[in-house]
């Protein structure tokens, strides 16, 4: 049977966290490392009693809590997992995160909404170094963190047109594409550079893999058709094209993409839902309904029948 995700429980737990009403508890919390590089995933684990609150999807509860409260500092990788240990009959919960920023960063405080008592699981802080981990070595952050092809992330379309007055500009729906070089396309949303595509028809992922690993480290996401690196807010996706004979790199700033998507949802959905006041709209467009009366009771403001004029008396 399908059970709706209890988003309201998560919101209540987050509100309790802000108000100081919920309490932290010990769930044998484990953190994979207290010092990481910007491209290094971190794993959080905890052990709790089995679920006692019905209707709570544990994986969704954790995912929603991170999405609602911690996306400024952390990115969820994959889905959280919740597995029952058959020996101890305890619930083992784990989540993998990637840092968005550097410095001393507080890890998410997760509401344990599948147990009674508004309990929270705190994991403390980690230090995120401004560097990449490449194998056993550390390297400086690459230029892709700031921009691509000499164009900084978030620059305006007008800035690019000034530098490339003869560049081909096309509009594809909500995107404006600028061909900065024969192999490089810049993608603008709401006037800002948010994405870039670099294509090569004579290079495969297999031949380029070692070079990619040496520049960005191990990919955090690897699938049959390609690899993905997440470095702070920058996403780099390498995919095969042309029956595997070519390669396409798609680079994006996920914070700028998220801001453009949020603005679109607000414009296309919320602005319509919030347009005007429902009560004021009804008061100006819908006539007032008559007040019901008891049967047989005569209303003073009811419509009275039009009296029939008397027939004229004929002249004698």
């Amino acid at each position: 049977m399908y059970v709706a995700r209890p988003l309201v429980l998560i919101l209540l737990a987050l509100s309790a966290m802000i108000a100081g009403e919920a309490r932290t508890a010990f769930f044998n919390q484990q953190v994979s490392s207290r010092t990481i590089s910007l491209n290094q995933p971190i794993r959080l684990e905890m052990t709790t009693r089995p679920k006692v609150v019905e209707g709570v999807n544990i994986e969704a509860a954790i995912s929603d809590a991170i999405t609602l409260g911690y996306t400024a500092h952390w990115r969820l990788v994959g889905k959280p997992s919740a597995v029952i240990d058959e020996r101890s009959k305890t619930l083992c919960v784990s989540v993998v995160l990637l840092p968005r920023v550097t410095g001393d960063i507080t890890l998410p405080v997760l509401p344990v909404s599948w147990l009674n008592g508004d309990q929270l699981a705190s994991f403390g802080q980690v230090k995120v170094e401004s560097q990449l981990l490449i194998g056993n070595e550390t390297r400086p952050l690459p230029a892709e963190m700031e921009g691509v092809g000499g164009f900084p992330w978030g620059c305006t379309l007008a800035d690019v047109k000034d530098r490339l007055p003869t560049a081909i500009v096309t509009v594809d729906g909500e995107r404006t594409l600028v061909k900065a070089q024969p192999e490089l396309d810049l993608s603008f949303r709401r006037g800002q550079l948010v994405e870039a595509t670099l294509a090569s028809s004579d290079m495969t992922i297999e031949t380029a893999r070692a070079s990619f690993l040496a520049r960005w480290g191990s990919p955090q996401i690897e699938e049959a058709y390609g690899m993905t690196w997440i470095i702070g807010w920058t996403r780099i996706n390498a995919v095969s094209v042309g029956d595997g004979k070519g390669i396409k790199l798609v680079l994006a700033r996920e914070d700028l993409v998220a801001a453009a998507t949020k603005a679109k949802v607000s414009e296309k959905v919320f602005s319509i839902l919030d347009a005007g006041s429902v009560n004021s709209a009804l008061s100006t467009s819908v006539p007032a309904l008559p007040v019901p009366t008891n049967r047989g009771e005569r209303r003073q403001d009811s419509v009275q029948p039009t009296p029939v004029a008397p027939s004229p008396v004929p002249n004698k």
Side-chain angles (χ1 to χ4, degrees):
M1 180 180 67
Y2 173 79
V3 179
R5 290 166 56 165
L7 184 58
V8 64
L9 294 178
I10 300 168
L11 293 173
L12 289 174
L14 290 175
S15 300
M17 290 165 56
I18 297 173
E21 298 172 2
R23 58 188 180 87
T24 58
F26 179 72
F27 298 104
N28 193 26
Q29 294 97 314
Q30 302 290 328
V31 180
S32 59
S33 178
R34 290 294 176 180
T35 302
I36 60 174
S37 298
L38 191 57
N39 66 330
Q40 190 175 352
I42 189 169
R43 178 181 293 275
L44 310 181
E45 297 179 340
M46 61 179 171
T47 303
T48 77
R49 292 183 292 110
K51 180 173 68 173
V52 297
V53 178
E54 293 298 327
V56 175
N57 183 320
I58 298 174
E59 295 88 345
I62 295 175
S63 178
D64 290 343
I66 295 172
T67 300
L68 289 171
Y70 297 96
T71 52
H73 297 116
W74 298 101
R75 184 192 196 274
L76 191 62
V77 180
K79 296 181 179 179
S81 68
V83 180
I84 291 289
D85 186 293
E86 293 300 332
R87 287 185 176 181
S88 61
K89 301 303 179 182
T90 56
L91 181 68
C92 303
V93 179
S94 66
V95 57
V96 178
L97 303 171
L98 278 167
R100 291 298 200 183
V101 295
T102 60
D104 295 323
I105 311 300
T106 301
L107 289 163
V109 178
L110 302 179
V112 188
S113 53
W114 55 94
L115 300 181
N116 294 321
D118 293 330
Q119 301 179 79
L120 304 173
S122 177
F123 294 86
Q125 286 190 332
V126 297
K127 184 176 183 179
V128 182
E129 302 279 4
S130 182
Q131 62 189 21
L132 296 187
L133 180 65
I134 310 293
N136 294 324
E137 301 179 356
T138 58
R139 303 280 177 82
L141 298 178
E144 298 83 77
M145 297 292 297
E146 302 298 329
V148 59
F151 298 98
W153 296 116
C155 70
T156 66
L157 181 59
D159 294 335
V160 175
K161 287 183 176 179
D162 289 341
R163 291 179 54 184
L164 302 173
T166 60
I168 299 175
V169 179
T170 58
V171 177
D172 181 15
E174 63 175 1
R175 297 176 182 267
T176 301
L177 306 177
V178 177
K179 185 160 289 294
Q181 299 177 23
E183 306 87 4
L184 178 62
D185 290 328
L186 305 178
S187 177
F188 293 78
R189 290 181 63 184
R190 296 185 172 269
Q192 285 189 314
L193 176 61
V194 301
E195 192 175 276
T197 302
L198 181 62
S200 176
S201 60
D202 59 353
M203 184 188 308
T204 66
I205 285 186
E206 288 74 18
T207 57
R209 180 184 178 90
S211 298
F212 290 164
L213 296 181
R215 186 176 180 90
W216 301 313
S218 300
Q220 291 88 4
I221 304 171
E222 189 160 4
E223 298 170 309
Y225 59 86
M227 302 176 289
T228 301
W229 293 264
I230 308 293
I231 307 173
W233 288 105
T234 303
R235 182 184 72 242
I236 306 166
N237 181 234
V239 295
S240 295
V241 294
D243 296 329
K245 299 178 181 179
I247 189 172
K248 180 173 70 173
L249 284 178
V250 181
L251 301 93
R253 268 293 293 260
E254 292 191 323
D255 54 343
L256 300 177
V257 172
T261 301
K262 182 178 180 180
K264 180 180 179 181
V265 173
S266 178
E267 177 184 309
K268 300 291 186 180
V269 180
F270 297 151
S271 63
I272 297 175
L273 297 178
D274 296 337
S277 169
V278 174
N279 291 332
S280 62
L282 287 175
S283 64
T284 57
S285 61
V286 180
L289 297 176
V291 178
T293 59
N294 294 330
R295 181 175 297 180
E297 179 183 346
R298 182 167 179 170
R299 292 182 46 187
Q300 297 299 323
D301 59 345
S302 60
V303 178
Q304 301 298 324
T306 304
V308 179
S311 301
V313 179
N315 295 328
K316 293 184 180 180

